[in-house]
Amino acid sequence: MSKVDVLLGLQWGDEGKGKIVDVLTPEYDVIARFQGGPNAGHTIEFNGIKHVLRTIPSGIFHDDKINIIGNGVLVEPCIFAGEVATLRAKGINAEHNLYLSRKAHLILPSHRMLDAANEHAKGNSKIGSTLKGIGPAYTDKIARSGLRIGDLEASDFKEKYELLKFQHMQMAHTLGFDIRNFTLEGMSLEAYEQKWIESLAVLRQFHIIDSEYFINDCLDKGKKVLAEGAQGSMLDIDFGSYPFVTSSSTITAGVCSGLGVSPLRIGRVMGITKAYCTRVGAGPFPTELFDDTGRLLGEIGHEFGAVTGRPRRCGWIDLPALRYACMLNGVTDLFVTKADVMNDFDEVKMCVAYEIDGVQTQQIPFALNEVEIRPVLKSFTGWKQSLTHAARFEDLPANLLAYLHAIEEQTGAAIRAVSISPDRKDTLFR
Ligand code: GDP
Ligand code: IMO
Ligand code: MG
């Protein structure tokens, strides 16, 4: 009997999860997404070509591996059909090795409208949602009124759809949202809805499975399964910087409910962190830099959202937050990405504690957005060189190794690999 290994983000998303999943896929038989939806943008680069995945697991570029969209994931049919078409144009036919859970919930066009209505109603306290309908679709799931992929097979799907849409229209109206002027991807709601309905035909071409049985059966047969997370631990619905979070359980616990596996079947937990820190959208970010260093991290790191194109906010790595994420997830292996972005820095810093009201703490406060935090910074001498000569982890410059050792010391988790470029080949394992 084998176990499910987990790979997830330890910060506020965009840690480079897609790249690392792709690098590790040869070691696995099955890659399964367990939560989130098309709010994710996972970038994979090889042979000079860049791919961005939204709902489809990052193992899809390995033809002999099975990829699963688990029950905990939200599927938006138009965006999914777009992803499938983009892959097909690149010669990748996902139909044979991508399976979808019958229990995964659907994002309706009116969920996306409600996302916009909710943000509109929040005014200055908006979350900066990706507006993909994530919050409203998970709300319906919990409220027991959502529609699932399995419902597509039912004869009353259309009636259920219309009822849900009607409720959404009423809610948007109550929020004072102008439905008539609302557009989605440059289309009227009606035009987008038409496209959405057509896209259901694409969904139906895929293997729709009871993924909880499928995955447990694979484990019984000794097959190796990797669970791929989206977003990051600091965006988790329970433990993230609430209310500036996403609406799913982004931590290891989410794997059990998002795929239907027992906690006893969780194996290694691989946590991904950038060598610094970014956040896209609104919400607290204790180590954010508003100076030239922050601007440089963004420029050199090409820190623009893979989904929305929004500039990502940048800052030093936040060890109290990272330590918290390691605790919540039970991280066994750390992966540090984008070390190369700081190659030219004279000095590199890390936040080792928060100072709140003159008192130092390593604990994340209840309302991260309501307290004034002064990050306590530790300084390291920069390594001031390109990393391209390094063929192995041990070849990395001494100053970078010192910085990495400090991360291990502060988090208690061992680094398994360091990523030094967006490309699949530039990943140095220990
Ligand atoms: P994900 O959402 O966690 O999969 O991450 P994203 O794809 O949204 O963002 C990570 C970005 O960093 C992408 O553009 C990757 O191509 C890029 N990237 C990943 N690893 C590295 C690295 O080690 N160095 C550099 N320079 N870029 C990287
Ligand atoms: P990946 O998987 C970074 C952020 C949004 C917003 C908040 C809520 O690529 O790391 P939502 O659309 O879920 O209602 O947005 O969460 N967010 C992400 N930030 N990476 C992501 O995914 C994100 N998914 C959501 O910017 O602040
Ligand atoms: Mg991303």
Side-chain angles (χ1 to χ4, degrees), residues 14-19 41-43 312 338 340 419-422:
D14 303 327
E15 297 89 349
K17 299 175 289 293
K19 167 181 168 164
H42 294 180
T43 315
R312 295 176 184 146
K338 305 193 90 159
D340 54 294
S419 167
I420 56 163
S421 101

Side-chain angles (χ1 to χ4, degrees), residues 12-18 39-43 52-53 230-231 274 280 304-307 312:
W12 277 279
D14 303 327
E15 297 89 349
K17 299 175 289 293
N39 49 347
H42 294 180
T43 315
V52 180
L53 295 169
Q231 290 79 56
K274 283 181 191 173
V280 62
F304 294 92
V307 174
R312 295 176 184 146

Side-chain angles (χ1 to χ4, degrees), residues 216-268:
N216 280 286
D217 193 43
C218 284
L219 296 174
D220 289 343
K221 290 178 177 144
K223 294 218 158 92
K224 294 194 71 189
V225 179
L226 177 65
E228 173 180 358
Q231 290 79 56
S233 300
M234 295 310 286
L235 288 170
D236 179 76
I237 185 69
D238 284 280
F239 303 105
S241 48
Y242 195 88
F244 299 94
V245 294
T246 189
S247 299
S248 66
S249 183
T250 62
I251 59 173
T252 304
V255 175
C256 298
S257 56
L259 293 178
V261 293
S262 151
L264 299 175
R265 294 194 122 171
I266 299 293
R268 300 204 73 76

Side-chain angles (χ1 to χ4, degrees), residues 1-4 28-30 66 215 217-225:
M1 186 191 91
S2 51
K3 294 195 168 186
V4 180
Y28 292 89
D29 301 295
V30 177
I66 291 173
I215 290 170
D217 193 43
C218 284
L219 296 174
D220 289 343
K221 290 178 177 144
K223 294 218 158 92
K224 294 194 71 189
V225 179

